[in-house]
Amino acid sequence: AIGDALSLFDKLKKEGLKNLTNKKQEKIEMPFVSIIFPNLNGGEKVVQCLNSIKKLDYPKNQYEIIMVDNGSSDGSLEMVEKVFNKYKSLKIIKLPKNIGAPGAYNIGIKEMNKKSKYFFKLDNDIMLDKNSLKELVNFIEKHRSEERRVGKECRSRWSPYH
């Protein structure tokens, strides 16, 4: 399995993500994607994460955002509700207590729109590149017959390790 993943990574590196972008992509219906992330006391980071999602170069009617709040007590949930109260793509699921990230992801997956073909798992401190979702979906669609899992390197601006 690791060999398969490395082989797929090498193929991706050789082809280059930029080469996967189709100039006629706007005319092709992109699949619906659910973007799911948990929040626990994310503060301003969660707002920045959501702002980066809003800037995605992906059809706005072809994705939803599901934020599962794990009982935040820092005001981040209220901040998100205030700033994004008119953002129709955002679904907020409020949990009374912290059930952990895996549990929050599972709840988000259960609440996905039925037309979702893929889900994109994030953390609340990730800031996406505007092309990241389009590039991942294009790659998956192009290599769908290979039945592999695909990811893209994500870096946290707040991590001391990057």
Side-chain angles (χ1 to χ4, degrees):
I2 293 174
D4 290 341
L6 291 174
S7 171
L8 187 61
F9 177 74
D10 287 340
K11 183 185 278 188
L12 176 61
K13 234 166 94 175
K14 285 178 189 167
E15 291 181 18
L17 284 175
K18 299 252 188 261
N19 294 334
L20 294 174
T21 305
N22 182 347
K23 297 288 183 202
K24 298 178 185 175
Q25 195 65 51
E26 293 75 32
K27 296 177 185 173
I28 298 171
E29 175 109 359
M30 297 296 285
F32 196 88
V33 178
S34 294
I35 302 169
I36 303 170
F37 68 92
N39 179 54
L40 176 62
N41 299 326
E44 183 65 29
K45 291 182 259 184
V46 72
V47 171
Q48 292 175 357
C49 173
L50 285 165
N51 278 327
S52 76
I53 295 170
K54 280 180 71 174
K55 294 176 185 173
L56 285 173
D57 182 17
Y58 200 85
K60 302 300 182 216
N61 63 340
Q62 288 302 105
Y63 69 86
E64 68 177 343
I65 306 161
I66 302 173
M67 182 183 95
V68 182
D69 188 78
N70 257 331
S72 293
S73 60
D74 68 340
S76 57
L77 173 61
E78 294 78 12
M79 190 181 331
V80 167
E81 289 176 325
K82 182 180 178 186
V83 174
F84 297 96
N85 65 344
K86 293 182 180 168
Y87 194 52
K88 294 182 186 213
S89 297
L90 176 62
K91 180 191 296 186
I92 299 172
I93 300 169
K94 303 173 192 177
L95 303 179
K97 65 178 186 171
N98 183 3
I99 63 167
Y105 286 119
N106 287 335
I107 287 172
I109 289 167
K110 287 178 186 171
E111 293 297 318
M112 282 179 6
N113 189 310
K114 299 294 181 224
K115 64 182 179 180
S116 287
K117 186 170 182 179
Y118 303 113
F119 70 90
F120 189 33
K121 181 180 149 187
L122 292 181
D123 289 321
N124 66 349
D125 62 350
I126 298 298
M127 292 188 50
L128 297 174
D129 175 80
K130 73 175 191 162
N131 294 315
S132 57
L133 185 58
K134 180 172 60 176
E135 290 172 351
L136 282 171
V137 169
N138 283 340
F139 185 82
I140 291 168
E141 290 287 302
K142 184 175 180 179
H143 299 283
R144 201 167 52 177
S145 64
E146 296 176 25
E147 297 296 325
R148 306 280 191 247
R149 291 185 176 98
V150 179
K152 181 175 170 82
E153 179 181 10
C154 295
R155 295 181 184 262
S156 169
R157 286 181 36 190
W158 299 276
S159 173
Y161 304 107
H162 295 292

